[in-house]
Each structure stands twice: as structure tokens, then as C-alpha cells.
Amino acid sequence: MTRRATTLLLTGVLTALLSALTVAPAGATGYRYWSFWERTGGGWAYATQGPATSRPADGSVQGFRFAVSEDSADASRPRGTASFAEVCAGTPARAGSKRVALVIDFGTAADAPGGETPPAARTACARVAADASTAEALAAVAKPLRYDTNALLCAIADYPERGCGEQVSGTSKKPAAAPGKDEDDGPRLGWYAGAAAVAALAAAAVWQSRRNRHG
């Protein structure tokens, strides 16, 4: 291998590695909104239809969670394990009506709009007409509700006071770092590993060049 070839190879390797190491991941974009959930089999499932068209049966558990999410797969579930028996224990069955247990999770301070504080999560048992929708059950126990012109649910019990499904840039679902562990260890260790690889390749190229010169 000639000195020129060695130099070109080393330059190419350095350029490729340094380019890869300096690329930063793009910030994700999410939306701040109320997501709608149904409790099935002891867990939460993202609802397949909106609360205005959902017609839960007597004994159903429905949930709402306010959070910033990128999409339905990324959405935060209502917290807690409240069951229908717990929420509606004091609401006996009655002919011509149904009972729907509602779990309303106002989310965390991190997901709250600027200047607002999320209320504590609550549960409620709504007694409504047998053909009532989830939206009607929610209205029976958590007024005032606010909707936009497209019938998107914007606020429950007047929270949040403003905004409706707005975009929020730079969202992240990265878990918190363990005590004493730097959240940026991953990227930093990757940079160190890349730098070590560059150094090793440079040393090998120099060694090969000297060998060719003296061989």
C-alpha cells in the first residue's frame, strides 16, 4: 500500500466515522390531548372509536388521560387499577339505565400547558340512559367539557383552560436515568467508542505505511 493510498483510506474512514458521530437525532413532535381508553381484561386498550360514538355496556370501565403523545402507540395510559366494582360500589343497578365507571387522569405537570397545574386524578360512576355514549356519561360526572369545532375533546372539568391538541416539539419518552447515571452516557460512550476506532485505524494505517516504506 503506497503512502498516498494509505492517506486516502485514512481520510475516508475519518470522514465517515466523524459524520456518523456528529449526527444528532431529530426531536420528536407530539400532541397535547385527551386520549380515550377502554379497560379490558385488567388492562387499558386504546379506544377504537371516539367517546361520542362509543356505547359502553353496563359495567364498563372507560378511561381518559391527558398527556403529550406522538401517536396512539405512544400514548400514556390512565394510571391506577380501579375496577368497576370499586368505582360503582355505591351505585346500584336500576332498570332502564346503565352504570359506567370513569377513570379521569389529568396527567403530570410535565405534560401540562404553561401556567397550569393538573388536578388530581379522579374516578366517578355515571348512571346514564341505556343507550348513552361515553361522552354523555363523561358529561354527567365531569362538567364542564370543552370541544373544538371538529368535535375533538379539548378539556374535561375545565382542564386545560386553553389549547386543544396543539403540537409540542421535542417530546421524549426516554426513561429517567438511574441514580448516579448520566442520561447522556449512551451518546457519550458511542462517541468515545468511535473515537477509539478512529485512533486504532489511524495507528494501523501509519504502521502499514512504515512497513511498506522499509519492506
Side-chain angles (χ1 to χ4, degrees):
M1 181 182 290
T2 65
R3 182 180 301 176
R4 176 176 175 76
T6 300
T7 301
L8 290 174
L9 174 61
L10 179 58
T11 300
V13 171
L14 286 169
T15 301
L17 281 173
L18 290 176
S19 296
L21 292 171
T22 54
V23 172
T29 299
Y31 299 86
R32 182 182 285 118
Y33 70 102
W34 280 101
S35 57
F36 172 40
W37 301 79
E38 299 173 335
R39 195 160 182 83
T40 58
W44 290 109
Y46 201 91
T48 57
Q49 56 186 317
T53 56
S54 172
R55 306 281 170 177
D58 180 75
S60 298
V61 180
Q62 312 269 274
F64 291 86
R65 171 70 188 266
F66 187 78
V68 174
S69 307
E70 293 177 39
D71 51 39
S72 60
D74 179 61
S76 299
R77 292 168 170 75
R79 292 166 293 181
T81 58
S83 66
F84 176 80
E86 294 170 329
V87 177
C88 292
T91 308
R94 183 182 300 169
S97 66
K98 64 182 177 184
R99 298 159 298 162
V100 179
L102 295 168
V103 177
I104 306 170
D105 188 339
F106 295 87
T108 66
D111 287 338
E116 296 198 50
T117 301
R122 68 171 77 166
T123 61
C125 186
R127 187 197 296 279
V128 290
D131 63 347
S133 66
T134 299
E136 291 171 316
L138 184 63
V141 297
K143 289 182 179 180
L145 305 180
R146 176 164 56 86
Y147 292 88
D148 71 358
T149 55
N150 297 312
L152 176 66
L153 178 61
C154 302
I156 296 176
D158 209 28
Y159 180 83
E161 295 180 1
R162 55 192 177 279
C164 190
E166 65 272 20
Q167 280 193 356
V168 180
S169 299
T171 59
S172 174
K173 291 286 184 178
K174 183 173 65 176
K181 179 176 175 60
D182 192 327
E183 288 187 345
D184 295 325
D185 277 354
R188 183 179 299 146
L189 288 174
W191 191 93
Y192 287 152
V198 170
L201 286 169
V206 170
W207 177 83
Q208 182 66 42
S209 178
R210 288 178 178 174
R211 182 182 178 187
N212 290 339
R213 253 196 340 261
H214 299 291

